[in-house]
Amino acid sequence: MTEDDGLPAEIAMLWGLREPPRRGRKPSLTVGDITRAAMEVADAEGLGAVSMARVAKELGNSTMALYRHVDDKAALLKLMADAALDEPPEIPAGGDWRAGLTSWATSVLTALRKHPWYSRVPLHGPPAGPRNLAWFDRALGTLADTPLEEAEKVGVVMGLITLVHGQLRFSVELMEGFQDNPEAFGRTYGHALRVLVDPRRMPALARVVEAGVFDHDERYDESDVDADFTFALGLYLDGVADHLARRG
């Protein structure tokens, strides 16, 4: 805990409440400097390349200089995960919760796709950084005029966050898989399923294969993945709408 406000130290760090005193000579490093350098390393080389020593080298400082501002790599990853988000968009006028949540979800996905490494940052707790909480607030705000109780609003948004994070990881890893082995996509996959899927053991999948769902020549296409996300998002929001109708 910090002495003044009882905040856990890692949350105080996320909010910039642990900067060293400004007396005397201005510090050569700030938490913001370190976070930006770490993100540049991750953007260029992947999350696995990020270490305190690597970021220190990027900044032209000693590793110990970083530890005066950031406790360890786990704390640095939390800073990166918050800084990766842009400021959230405004809620569309008109109070339409469905349009608001749709815009919110697609905006989150667009923002995080700028940093593919984000999908590999470990999650150790609920959102706590300033940008993560700002996005959380914006999503909750779309439900302000609904009859949902406050805890239900949180449940709706947390379910949506799960959907968005799953889509992000799915799309990033599929793209990496395609880059590593393009032949695993397209008709090669469809042919493999026709050979391997036994209708007696996997009847539902066999019907999908027989319908030719996987018989296509095109390679990995992110637009198809996005279409799947749009479909899944619509189904999720249909469920929210049904719940609202029952509440109403």
Side-chain angles (χ1 to χ4, degrees), residues 109 113 164-177 220 222 225-226:
L109 196 55
R113 276 181 172 166
V164 170
H165 277 255
Q167 175 66 14
L168 176 68
R169 180 169 183 174
F170 186 70
S171 60
V172 167
E173 293 188 2
L174 272 184
M175 175 56 77
E176 290 175 351
Y220 173 79
E222 192 167 304
V225 179
D226 287 342

Side-chain angles (χ1 to χ4, degrees), residues 26-248:
K26 183 178 181 180
S28 60
L29 275 180
T30 66
V31 170
D33 295 332
I34 296 168
T35 304
R36 284 187 291 272
M39 291 175 63
E40 289 172 4
V41 171
D43 286 340
E45 304 172 32
L47 192 65
V50 175
S51 68
M52 299 295 277
R54 178 67 181 83
V55 175
K57 181 179 178 181
E58 187 79 7
L59 289 164
N61 279 267
S62 68
T63 304
M64 288 306 300
L66 268 63
Y67 281 110
R68 297 189 188 103
H69 301 269
V70 179
D71 292 339
D72 51 29
K73 180 179 175 180
L76 180 57
L77 293 179
K78 291 176 182 178
L79 287 163
M80 293 168 64
D82 198 64
L85 288 165
D86 302 320
E87 289 299 321
E90 294 297 326
I91 300 172
D96 184 339
W97 67 266
R98 185 170 187 132
L101 287 181
T102 299
S103 174
W104 183 90
T106 54
S107 296
V108 173
L109 196 55
T110 298
L112 294 182
R113 276 181 172 166
K114 298 175 185 176
H115 307 288
W117 48 264
Y118 188 97
S119 66
R120 290 184 168 84
V121 175
L123 295 175
H124 295 299
R131 290 191 179 177
N132 272 279
L133 286 182
W135 280 85
F136 193 28
D137 173 78
R138 197 73 90 238
L140 291 170
T142 66
L143 299 167
D145 294 331
T146 68
L148 295 177
E149 296 179 1
E150 299 305 317
E152 289 179 302
K153 295 173 186 176
V154 171
V156 169
V157 175
M158 293 305 294
L160 195 54
I161 289 174
T162 301
L163 184 63
V164 170
H165 277 255
Q167 175 66 14
L168 176 68
R169 180 169 183 174
F170 186 70
S171 60
V172 167
E173 293 188 2
L174 272 184
M175 175 56 77
E176 290 175 351
F178 173 69
Q179 292 171 344
D180 290 341
N181 182 17
E183 295 305 316
F185 295 73
R187 286 190 181 275
T188 300
Y189 180 64
H191 174 71
L193 291 183
R194 286 186 178 277
V195 172
L196 298 171
V197 174
D198 183 344
R200 292 168 297 181
R201 293 186 59 213
M202 306 176 192
L205 180 56
R207 288 192 294 270
V208 171
V209 173
E210 187 61 30
V213 173
F214 301 110
D215 294 342
H216 49 75
D217 292 319
E218 64 266 21
R219 302 302 185 183
Y220 173 79
D221 188 342
E222 192 167 304
S223 64
D224 289 339
V225 179
D226 287 342
D228 290 341
F229 174 68
T230 300
F231 179 65
L233 176 61
L235 293 179
Y236 180 79
L237 296 179
D238 285 345
V240 176
D242 287 345
H243 180 69
L244 283 168
R246 290 194 298 273
R247 286 297 303 273

